[in-house]
Amino acid sequence: MTIGFRILTRNRAVTPELVAQFRALPVANVSDAMRRMTAAGPRLTRMHQDGTLAGPALTVKSRPGDNLMLHKAIDMAQPGDVIVVDAGGDLTNALMGEMMLAYAAKRGVAGFVLNGAIRDADAIREMNLPLFAAGITHRGPYKDGPGEINVPIAIDGMVIAPGDLVLGDGDGVVAVPFDAAEAVLAATRAKHDAETRQMAAIDAGTNDRSWVDAALKELGCEMPA
């Protein structure tokens, strides 16, 4: 075993049907369904114009500023994969730019999450393939390794295993563990349905706000009579 410089095989991944069902749901509701305990942090910024990121994770762990293993991951990716890279959050050198993104799009990659920097930001925004990154720099990457593919990685405390579901929208990025995906889907749908009913009540002027005063009283807040 060569720890730190190896490429493994992904043995499982969430199905396209499950990905499609999650794609229609807000990331915030998925986060709530997981008790608000999982997030990739506020540094990860949407670099594309619009649209939702959704797909099974193809994970990469790379030396900061080095994209050799990211290149290999793009070559390995299956259509619909989301390539997730833990490069330590370093922003000194970009991990990828316009040409790599164009090649990935041609191969059917669904998007990227990079705990590192990009360059060619204007072109990437125009291409509009879902991509979240921690920053932007014009300085290019190195291609020396080491790195690993299809190993568990972590970004700001959020663990992503190969084949986990990765989601991203304007609120950020969240990963749903493979084994919990069906349960999280059910909980997210229940949350989303409840919010839909609440929005309808707000629109109708019948939204019940009595819980606010009840919570304050329960907590011992002094209030006017």
Side-chain angles (χ1 to χ4, degrees):
M1 181 180 294
T2 308
I3 296 294
F5 207 5
R6 57 183 177 164
I7 298 171
L8 304 181
T9 300
R10 186 178 66 185
N11 295 316
R12 63 184 189 177
V14 291
T15 65
E17 293 76 19
L18 196 63
V19 172
Q21 292 177 80
F22 268 99
R23 187 186 296 276
L25 298 167
V27 164
N29 286 351
V30 178
S31 178
D32 284 353
M34 294 194 292
R35 308 285 182 174
R36 303 173 179 138
M37 291 292 290
T38 300
R43 293 186 73 208
L44 291 181
T45 302
R46 182 170 64 182
M47 299 294 175
H48 56 291
Q49 295 181 54
D50 52 35
T52 300
L53 173 71
L58 175 58
T59 61
V60 180
K61 189 170 186 178
S62 70
R63 179 170 66 90
D66 190 288
N67 74 356
L68 177 61
M69 284 303 200
L70 176 53
H71 273 283
K72 180 60 178 176
I74 296 173
D75 288 341
M76 293 172 56
Q78 299 297 311
D81 279 350
V82 173
I83 298 177
V84 187
V85 183
D86 174 19
D90 183 79
L91 305 181
T92 306
N93 298 84
L95 295 175
M96 66 182 293
E98 176 184 9
M99 287 192 293
M100 288 179 69
L101 191 66
Y103 173 58
K106 191 73 172 177
R107 286 193 50 78
V109 172
F112 291 85
V113 177
L114 308 176
N115 191 18
I118 63 160
R119 65 177 180 177
D120 304 327
D122 291 341
I124 284 175
R125 180 173 174 79
E126 183 67 23
M127 291 175 66
N128 205 34
L129 183 72
L131 190 157
F132 291 79
I136 301 169
T137 179
H138 55 78
R139 293 178 62 172
Y142 300 102
K143 294 175 173 61
D144 307 307
E148 297 179 304
I149 296 176
N150 282 327
V151 297
I153 60 174
I155 300 176
D156 201 25
M158 184 178 77
V159 177
I160 308 103
D164 284 354
L165 176 65
V166 180
L167 302 167
D169 63 16
D171 287 333
V173 175
V174 67
V176 180
F178 177 91
D179 290 327
E182 292 285 358
V184 172
L185 177 62
T188 302
R189 281 177 167 165
K191 171 70 174 177
H192 188 60
D193 289 347
E195 289 193 354
T196 299
R197 291 192 297 271
Q198 188 174 356
M199 285 296 293
I202 291 171
D203 187 57
T206 59
N207 190 37
D208 182 8
R209 300 289 294 171
S210 61
W211 69 268
V212 178
D213 284 351
L216 290 170
K217 290 176 182 178
E218 178 70 22
L219 293 168
C221 178
E222 182 177 339
M223 300 171 63

Tab-separated table of all heavy atoms in Angstrom, residues 55 143 205:
chain	number	residue	atom	x	y	z
A	55	GLY	N	-24.509	14.918	-7.972
A	55	GLY	CA	-23.940	13.708	-8.541
A	55	GLY	C	-23.106	12.955	-7.531
A	55	GLY	O	-22.822	13.452	-6.432
A	143	LYS	N	2.406	19.868	-11.538
A	143	LYS	CA	1.909	18.558	-11.964
A	143	LYS	C	2.899	17.468	-11.564
A	143	LYS	O	3.351	16.684	-12.394
A	143	LYS	CB	1.680	18.557	-13.478
A	143	LYS	CG	0.566	19.484	-13.942
A	143	LYS	CD	0.471	19.525	-15.448
A	143	LYS	CE	-0.753	20.311	-15.886
A	143	LYS	NZ	-0.718	21.715	-15.423
A	205	GLY	N	-51.892	35.050	4.571
A	205	GLY	CA	-52.019	35.847	5.787
A	205	GLY	C	-52.482	35.051	6.985
A	205	GLY	O	-52.991	35.627	7.963
